[in-house]
Amino acid sequence: MTIRELHTLFLKYPMVCTDTRNIQSDCIFFALKGEKFNGNTFAREALKKGAVYAVVDEPGFMDNENMILVENVLETLQELATYHRKYFGTKIIGLTGSNGKTTTKELINTVLSKKYRTISTKGNLNNHIGVPLTLLSITKDTEYAIVEMGANHQNEITFLAKMVQPDFGYITNFGKAHLEGFGSKEGVIKGKSELYEYLMADNKYIFLNADDPIQEERLGNYVKKIGFSSENHKYFIIQFKGAHPFVTLEVEDIRIQTQLIGGYNFTNCCAAVLMGKYFNVPVPTIKDALESYIPSNNRSQFLEKNGRQIILDAYNANPTSMAAALENVHKMNGDHKILFLGDMLELGETALEEHQQIVDLATKMNFDEVYLIGKLFHKTSSTFKHFQSFEEVSAYLKEHPIPSGLVLIKGSRGMALERVMDFL
């Protein structure tokens, strides 16, 4: 079956499932493979549960007329997504970066959806499987799609960009993330900049933070760039008015008071403002959109519980975002500041050095209490409380209740530090 023929079926049954635990009636099941599973073995079950077709890539499982045999299921899913993206011609904004991708994507979508019919990446489904699923959620009514692209090694953004074929692009920043795959900060810059290279080769528009010297240098004299800045009047001016604790900015003499904590969220807001302006969303409407947005999913959430102010930022962490979080708490008002810091994963050979630098920064800032959780932080040198696992800190907290104060909870996703909330 050709991709065109498969796409004709998809238009009739526009729902893709890759997990038999989530089968929906009249979906098309794609039998993906993983390190520990073979989706082909679940194809028959998918049909029994309501899938109208099952796409498989092993002839031995072809025992039903509603099974479609292809050479490679994953590649077929990706090719179908690109074909579908071109079929409707929806304008796409491609987004990547080391920190803030998901928040920025949600802010852009919040602003543009005030005027246009939009779709965006769900959660952080930003890899070689999540991206095609996002593209396949485009409908004939979709005017703009905001597609998040993640990467932890070279050439991954190039691959995803060729699949997505974005009309516009934005890189949030270049930070110390996924160093295990990229090797170094320079490797991160090179890898993320693959989005720039794709867009420039196609003469497409690029949005940028003109106050970021790396972005300015990378884009050079490229003509089709649209930037924001706090002071460079060659670009659209957006002024930072503080984060006490919520980010406040000013656009064309209109003040916007967001519900996002931390000065590091300022540029994320700026990207949404810039794109709103470019796509003709009125500034008062942009203001309404940003002020109504409330972060969720453990991303820079500001909560109050039992007399404590809590910054729950346990969705992910790397040295850049961790340092920014510490800087933010250091600047905030509070009589008793308490940190729960979990290991930062995927840092490769630099892991111990990066964790020690965070510990040194926390020491310099003189916080009242610091709890370090994980095998990497356990190897660092400090006077803080060290715990090799969450089970250890859990046992400690049962006997030693957390005092009132300002609490930061920050760590990589694999640490699941939101569990600290049970002790607050």
Side-chain angles (χ1 to χ4, degrees):
M1 180 176 284
T2 65
I3 291 297
R4 181 178 179 180
E5 290 170 334
L6 181 58
H7 186 252
T8 299
L9 289 179
F10 175 72
L11 291 178
K12 188 176 180 181
Y13 304 102
M15 176 69 67
V16 167
C17 290
T18 61
D19 189 331
T20 51
R21 293 169 296 185
N22 303 315
I23 291 292
Q24 298 190 37
S25 181
D26 288 342
C27 71
I28 300 177
F29 175 73
F30 279 76
L32 298 176
K33 294 177 181 177
E35 290 183 8
K36 298 181 180 180
F37 66 91
N38 180 351
N40 289 277
T41 63
F42 298 100
R44 188 181 302 163
E45 179 187 347
L47 293 174
K48 286 180 179 179
K49 285 186 171 182
V52 66
Y53 291 102
V55 181
V56 299
D57 53 14
E58 294 183 19
F61 293 93
M62 288 288 293
D63 59 0
N64 188 298
E65 63 181 9
N66 283 50
M67 290 189 179
I68 299 169
L69 181 65
V70 299
E71 188 170 329
N72 182 292
V73 171
L74 176 58
E75 291 177 4
T76 298
L77 178 68
Q78 294 165 343
E79 290 172 20
L80 177 66
T82 301
Y83 188 96
H84 183 70
R85 176 262 179 277
K86 291 191 286 189
Y87 182 82
F88 282 129
T90 299
K91 294 297 183 184
I92 293 183
I93 300 166
L95 180 71
T96 192
S98 298
N99 300 299
K101 291 186 296 295
T102 301
T103 297
T104 302
K105 173 260 302 181
E106 291 180 358
L107 290 170
I108 295 167
N109 188 52
T110 299
V111 168
L112 295 187
S113 65
K114 289 288 186 179
K115 182 172 181 177
Y116 304 101
R117 291 182 293 275
T118 67
I119 64 106
S120 64
T121 301
K122 291 182 179 179
N124 72 327
L125 296 176
N126 59 19
N127 65 6
H128 61 295
I129 296 173
V131 168
L133 294 178
T134 298
L135 295 177
L136 289 169
S137 69
I138 293 171
T139 70
K140 65 179 180 179
D141 296 323
T142 306
E143 295 174 279
Y144 288 94
I146 303 97
V147 180
E148 180 181 336
M149 295 179 284
N152 56 21
H153 57 265
Q154 307 294 344
N155 302 317
E156 195 168 2
I157 293 298
T158 295
F159 175 79
L160 293 174
K162 288 178 179 177
M163 188 194 313
V164 173
Q165 300 182 5
D167 302 281
F168 307 89
Y170 177 68
I171 298 177
T172 58
N173 49 51
F174 303 95
K176 293 181 178 180
H178 301 296
L179 296 182
E180 190 171 29
F182 285 117
S184 63
K185 175 75 176 289
E186 290 69 29
V188 172
I189 295 170
K190 183 176 184 293
K192 300 295 183 181
S193 293
E194 290 168 10
L195 178 59
Y196 286 160
E197 293 165 10
Y198 174 87
L199 292 163
M200 288 191 285
D202 243 10
N203 202 30
K204 301 288 182 63
Y205 285 97
I206 297 174
F207 297 103
L208 81 148
N209 172 5
D211 292 336
D212 181 345
I214 300 175
Q215 295 191 34
E216 272 278 71
E217 179 185 351
R218 285 270 151 176
L219 292 174
N221 295 320
Y222 185 65
V223 176
K224 290 190 172 181
K225 60 181 180 181
I226 307 138
F228 64 82
S229 173
S230 58
E231 55 187 21
N232 188 339
H233 288 267
K234 285 171 46 182
Y235 301 99
F236 184 67
I237 296 295
I238 306 173
Q239 295 182 326
F240 179 59
K241 293 298 182 180
H244 308 291
F246 300 112
V247 174
T248 303
L249 52 150
E250 190 169 286
V251 183
E252 296 180 347
D253 297 323
I254 295 178
R255 185 168 287 236
I256 300 173
Q257 171 75 68
T258 75
Q259 298 185 64
L260 286 160
I261 196 165
Y264 50 84
N265 269 310
F266 170 64
T267 54
N268 299 336
C269 294
C270 288
V273 170
L274 179 66
M275 293 184 211
K277 279 289 295 180
Y278 182 81
F279 295 115
N280 299 311
V281 179
V283 173
T285 304
I286 295 173
K287 171 183 168 73
D288 291 343
L290 293 184
E291 291 187 342
S292 67
Y293 175 77
I294 301 174
S296 59
N297 298 326
N298 305 323
R299 289 186 181 90
S300 295
Q301 289 180 257
F302 187 74
L303 310 167
E304 294 190 88
K305 186 175 180 180
N306 298 331
R308 302 180 185 90
Q309 292 181 311
I310 304 160
I311 302 170
L312 180 57
D313 195 10
Y315 186 80
N316 219 336
N318 58 53
T320 303
S321 67
M322 186 73 85
L326 265 60
E327 292 279 1
N328 179 58
V329 174
H330 182 61
K331 292 176 182 177
M332 290 178 66
N333 295 324
D335 295 329
H336 198 80
K337 297 181 180 180
I338 306 163
L339 309 184
F340 287 88
L341 307 181
D343 280 356
M344 303 173 290
L345 307 179
E346 296 185 56
L347 295 180
E349 295 179 359
T350 66
L352 185 56
E353 176 187 350
E354 295 291 352
H355 281 77
Q356 186 62 55
Q357 287 181 12
I358 292 298
V359 168
D360 293 344
L361 180 61
T363 301
K364 181 181 177 182
M365 291 179 175
N366 199 30
F367 294 108
D368 296 285
E369 295 187 50
V370 178
Y371 300 80
L372 301 175
I373 307 163
K375 294 178 180 179
L376 292 167
F377 268 129
H378 189 71
K379 294 177 182 178
T380 60
S381 175
S382 75
T383 59
F384 301 143
K385 297 180 178 69
H386 292 69
F387 304 89
Q388 290 199 63
S389 67
F390 186 81
E391 287 67 33
E392 285 188 14
V393 75
S394 174
Y396 179 86
L397 294 176
K398 287 176 182 176
E399 301 296 327
H400 303 82
I402 303 168
S404 297
L406 175 62
V407 181
L408 169 69
I409 303 171
K410 177 79 174 170
S412 280
R413 180 85 301 268
M415 300 301 296
L417 281 200
E418 63 273 12
R419 292 176 290 175
V420 172
M421 293 293 292
D422 295 337
F423 298 92
L424 295 172

